[in-house]
Amino acid sequence: MDPAAYFRRWRRRVTRPRLAVVAALERSAAHLSADEIRRAVRAAGEPAGLTTVYRTLALLERMQLVVRHEFGDGECRYELADGWHKVHHHHLVCSACGTVTEYRAFKEENALVARMQEVLSRKYRFTIRGHQFNFVGLCARCCERSARIHL
Amino acid sequence: MDPAAYFRRWRRRVTRPRLAVVAALERSAAHLSADEIRRAVRAAGEPAGLTTVYRTLALLERMQLVVRHEFGDGECRYELADGWHKVHHHHLVCSACGTVTEYRAFKEENALVARMQEVLSRKYRFTIRGHQFNFVGLCARCCERSARIHL
DNA sequence: GTAAATGCAAAGGTTTTGCACGTTA
DNA sequence: TAACGTGCAAAACCTTTGCATTTAC
C-alpha cells in the first residue's frame, strides 16, 4: 500500500519528510524513538528536524498507520501498525535491562482478543481499535544476575 | 500485610514518608501520578518532597509492591500490585480523551495469562512477573464526536 | 497564489541528580 | 554514631509551541 495515497485521503500534503519517516519505519524492525527515526531519516539522505518527526508521527498515529508504545525507558517508541508489512505481535519487557522481545501472538491470544473486543465494546460502549499486551519480567540474563545480587 | 515488614526484609529503613506513600496508594483506587501522590501524602498530614516520592516509588517498584503504568498522557502512573488489596484488572484506554477504565480480568483472560506464562518462559527463558493488557480505542463519548468531525 | 508544512529556538513538563542536613537503627 | 534517607535547587530529558520561511497543490 502507498503512503502517499494515505496522506491524500486525509487531505494532507505529501512531503519528502513525511515519506522519509514512513520509509524509515518500514526499513526497521525495531521500536524506534523519535530521535532514532530522525537519525534514520538523515542517514537516508533526507534532512529532517525533530519537530517534523514528532508532528509526522502524531499524524501517522491519528491515521492509524503507526502505533506508539511506552515501555518504561522514558521515551515513546513507534512502529508501523499491523497490516503495514508487520505481523501482529505482543511484547516481553525486561524490567531490569529494558530489552523488548517481540513474539508473534499465539492463536489462543488472537481468539481471546476477538472475543474481548466484543464483550468490552458492548459492556463499556468502547470502540476498540487495538491493544497492547506486555508481559513484564526478567530476561534470562537479568534473572541470573538478580539471583546473585538482591537487585 | 505490613509495609514496614517489607521494608525491613529489604534492609531498608522504615520512615514516615515511605509509609505515607504506601498509605496514600492504599487509600486510592485510581492510578496516581507522582505529584498526585505527593498531594495525597500532604493532605494526610505528612509533608513529603516530590523527590522522596519518586525515590520511594522506585523502591516499591523494585520490591514489586507497586506497578507503574504509562497510558500516554505524559506522566507515569502508579498503583499497588495485585494482592495488596487490589484485584487484578486490565485497562481500556481512550486515545482521544485519555480516560482509563479498569475492568476486572475475565476468567478466560486469566486462564490465558497462566498458559502464556508457561509457554513464554520456556520458549524465551523469560521470568514473567506481571503483565499489562491495554485495549486502546475510543470511549462512547469520543466515538460519537469523531463520527462527526474527522478527528 | 495560498494554505499547509517545515525548522529553529525557546518553552513546558516530568523525572533525576548533587549535596547539605536529618533520621533511623 | 555511622549509614541511610530526605529535600531543595538545579540539571537533564523528552516533547510541544511560536513564528518566520519554504513548499505542495
Side-chain angles (χ1 to χ4, degrees):
Chain A
M1 220 187 198
D2 178 24
Y6 244 85
F7 288 123
R8 277 192 277 268
R9 191 173 316 153
W10 278 68
R11 308 277 158 78
R12 294 295 144 80
R13 293 187 179 169
V14 181
T15 65
R16 293 172 60 80
R18 283 177 176 172
L19 293 175
V21 167
V22 176
L25 287 166
E26 277 176 333
R27 248 179 284 120
S28 165
H31 307 91
L32 301 176
S33 68
D35 197 56
E36 283 166 353
I37 291 170
R38 196 210 44 178
R39 284 202 292 271
V41 164
R42 292 201 162 165
E46 176 67 29
L50 194 51
T51 304
T52 300
V53 171
Y54 273 112
R55 283 194 279 232
T56 299
L57 288 168
L59 172 61
L60 293 172
E61 211 189 337
R62 268 176 289 150
M63 303 196 320
Q64 296 178 62
L65 218 138
V66 150
V67 181
R68 184 175 65 197
H69 295 281
E70 290 172 86
F71 292 123
D73 66 344
E75 51 194 344
C76 295
R77 300 188 159 271
Y78 304 82
E79 65 178 341
L80 288 180
D82 299 352
W84 277 78
H85 95 137
K86 289 218 79 170
V87 175
H88 188 67
H89 56 263
H90 294 160
H91 298 111
L92 295 170
V93 184
C94 177
S95 56
C97 69
T99 305
V100 176
T101 306
E102 295 185 357
Y103 71 90
R104 200 171 149 168
F106 291 44
K107 257 201 209 79
E108 285 171 280
E109 286 177 282
N110 290 322
L112 179 79
V113 166
R115 204 154 46 245
M116 294 307 301
Q117 212 140 317
E118 238 181 83
V119 174
L120 293 171
S121 62
R122 197 164 43 241
K123 189 163 179 186
Y124 298 98
R125 304 206 306 126
F126 208 92
T127 308
I128 295 171
R129 282 179 165 181
H131 63 269
Q132 299 169 247
F133 285 12
N134 299 336
F135 283 95
V136 183
L138 296 174
C139 68
R141 198 135 71 98
C142 291
C143 189
E144 283 169 28
R145 245 181 86 255
S146 78
R148 279 182 273 118
I149 61 171
H150 204 209
L151 269 177
Chain B
M1 219 187 201
D2 176 26
Y6 244 85
F7 288 122
R8 276 192 278 266
R9 190 173 319 151
W10 278 69
R11 307 280 158 76
R12 294 296 142 82
R13 295 186 176 168
V14 181
T15 65
R16 291 173 62 82
R18 284 178 176 170
L19 293 175
V21 167
V22 176
L25 288 167
E26 277 177 333
R27 249 179 281 121
S28 165
H31 307 92
L32 301 175
S33 68
D35 197 55
E36 284 166 352
I37 292 170
R38 196 210 45 176
R39 284 202 293 271
V41 165
R42 292 201 163 163
E46 176 67 30
L50 195 49
T51 304
T52 299
V53 171
Y54 274 112
R55 284 195 277 233
T56 299
L57 288 168
L59 172 60
L60 293 172
E61 211 187 338
R62 269 176 290 150
M63 302 196 321
Q64 296 178 64
L65 219 138
V66 150
V67 180
R68 183 176 64 197
H69 295 281
E70 289 172 86
F71 293 122
D73 66 343
E75 52 193 345
C76 295
R77 299 188 159 273
Y78 304 82
E79 66 178 343
L80 287 181
D82 299 353
W84 277 78
H85 95 135
K86 288 218 80 170
V87 174
H88 189 67
H89 56 264
H90 293 158
H91 299 110
L92 295 170
V93 184
C94 177
S95 56
C97 68
T99 305
V100 177
T101 307
E102 294 185 357
Y103 71 90
R104 199 169 152 169
F106 290 42
K107 256 203 211 81
E108 284 171 282
E109 286 177 283
N110 290 323
L112 179 81
V113 167
R115 205 155 44 244
M116 294 307 301
Q117 212 140 319
E118 238 181 85
V119 175
L120 294 171
S121 63
R122 196 164 43 238
K123 189 163 179 186
Y124 297 97
R125 306 206 306 126
F126 207 93
T127 308
I128 295 171
R129 282 179 165 181
H131 63 269
Q132 300 168 243
F133 285 13
N134 299 336
F135 283 95
V136 183
L138 296 175
C139 66
R141 197 135 72 99
C142 291
C143 189
E144 284 169 28
R145 244 181 87 255
S146 79
R148 282 182 270 120
I149 61 170
H150 203 210
L151 268 179

